[in-house]
Amino acid sequence: MIAVRDLAKRYGALEAVRGISFEVEPGEIFGLLGPNGAGKTTTVEILEGLRSADSGSVTVAGVDVMQDPRAVKGRIGVQLQASAFPENFLAREIIDLFALFHGRRVDALALLAAVGLQDKASAREEKLSGGQRQRLSLAVAMVGEPQVLFLDEPTTGLDPQARRNLWALIRTVQARGTTVLLTTHYLDEAEILCDRVAVMDGGRIVALDAPRALVGSLLARGFSKPAVQQQANLDDVFLDLTGHALRDD
Ligand code: ATP
């Protein structure tokens, strides 16, 4: 669904992306991990047709993105930050607005229900909680029924419940056949959610495999650390006390 070959991009003297190659299979949840400045955003924006590359080739959903960056936009969904939404619109109006951009009619209420926001259809976007906004932006990204969904740090700033709810939603999107490419700084998120991850550092991919396989190969190389006896952490305490359910406050 995504094929990247020898992709390179420099900003002046800075080589932000240094000849990376990877493929994403249809229906996969694929993670791009890496420290700040690794080149993740640059890579993703090239894949989305938003940024030009210096060399290499990129195919997304059958479109040669270098040749035809506009064509790819009709086949992908990009989760925007909620700050990109116009002010003073109700949640359902935002869905309708983006449907208009895509030139299609959608059932806004059904889409909002799919992300657990059926009760918030007539709420103003700025009145939603952080988790609700992220779910609204996921619904907006799904308006065009994309073949590939791009998520940039989808759970940053969310509490543990809201993060888990969003992970469940992303899996639902995957179950509908959509391929997902996400960036994240959260390694637990990558481990739980991603079928495979590419670890980027300094503009290169330094590892690419299933999370479990990456851990396995580290252990096979003789890595060890002091045994951790604790079977739960503060995250688990938080969830035990406050529950997993979607909340609308
Ligand atoms: P983060 O996790 O902080 O979002 P990232 O992995 O997404 O980082 P990029 O945003 O792709 O990294 O940046 C890669 C490098 O390119 C960084 O050193 C950054 O400062 C630089 N860079 C990014 N965009 C530009 C630009 N428009 N002009 C000049 N340099 C840029």
Side-chain angles (χ1 to χ4, degrees):
M1 187 58 69
I2 299 176
V4 176
R5 285 272 164 276
D6 302 324
L7 180 68
K9 171 76 179 178
R10 57 164 68 233
Y11 301 109
L14 180 86
E15 287 185 80
V17 178
R18 303 179 181 223
I20 62 170
S21 300
F22 64 95
E23 291 183 358
V24 180
E25 303 296 327
E28 257 191 317
I29 300 181
F30 188 91
L32 269 186
L33 314 182
N36 294 129
K40 306 179 297 292
T41 304
T42 300
T43 301
V44 169
E45 288 182 354
I46 293 170
L47 267 53
E48 293 167 351
L50 296 175
R51 193 173 281 279
S52 65
D54 294 335
S55 57
S57 67
V58 175
T59 309
V60 175
V63 175
D64 181 332
V65 180
M66 310 288 208
Q67 297 289 327
D68 199 354
R70 281 174 166 270
V72 81
K73 295 192 177 101
R75 305 191 184 188
I76 64 171
V78 176
Q79 189 186 22
L80 302 169
Q81 298 302 314
S83 56
F85 296 148
E87 280 177 35
N88 292 321
F89 276 73
L90 309 181
R92 62 179 154 78
E93 292 173 338
I94 289 177
I95 300 282
D96 288 337
L97 187 67
F98 279 83
L100 208 62
F101 293 158
H102 281 274
R104 53 168 78 209
R105 285 181 159 272
V106 297
D107 183 343
L109 292 182
L111 208 50
L112 289 170
V115 297
L117 287 179
Q118 58 278 14
D119 298 338
K120 295 289 171 182
S122 296
R124 285 187 195 286
E125 184 271 317
E126 47 291 12
K127 296 267 162 64
L128 301 181
S129 72
Q132 291 165 351
R133 277 198 196 151
Q134 290 289 68
R135 285 187 268 142
L136 176 61
S137 65
L138 198 63
V140 167
M142 297 301 292
V143 160
E145 292 182 11
Q147 295 179 50
V148 184
L149 182 63
F150 289 94
L151 308 174
D152 192 11
E153 298 181 20
T155 64
T156 295
L158 300 187
D159 70 44
Q161 284 174 338
R163 294 182 73 209
R164 278 165 175 70
N165 290 330
L166 209 71
W167 292 342
L169 264 180
I170 294 169
R171 283 206 200 87
T172 311
V173 168
Q174 176 189 36
R176 285 162 55 169
T178 309
T179 305
V180 179
L181 188 146
L182 61 88
T183 67
T184 184
H185 287 129
Y186 296 119
L187 302 186
D188 60 338
E189 178 161 296
E191 206 165 345
I192 290 168
L193 196 56
C194 296
D195 298 306
R196 290 189 307 144
V197 297
V199 183
M200 283 191 81
D201 192 23
R204 298 185 200 282
I205 292 179
V206 293
L208 195 166
D209 212 331
R212 204 174 274 265
L214 289 175
V215 174
S217 68
L218 177 68
L219 293 174
R221 292 201 301 275
F223 177 88
S224 71
K225 61 181 178 183
V228 178
Q229 295 299 330
Q230 198 168 303
Q231 293 297 318
N233 59 22
L234 198 55
D235 228 36
D236 299 313
V237 173
F238 180 99
L239 287 167
D240 181 55
L241 294 172
T242 63
H244 293 256
L246 282 181
R247 290 191 309 193
D248 281 326
D249 55 7

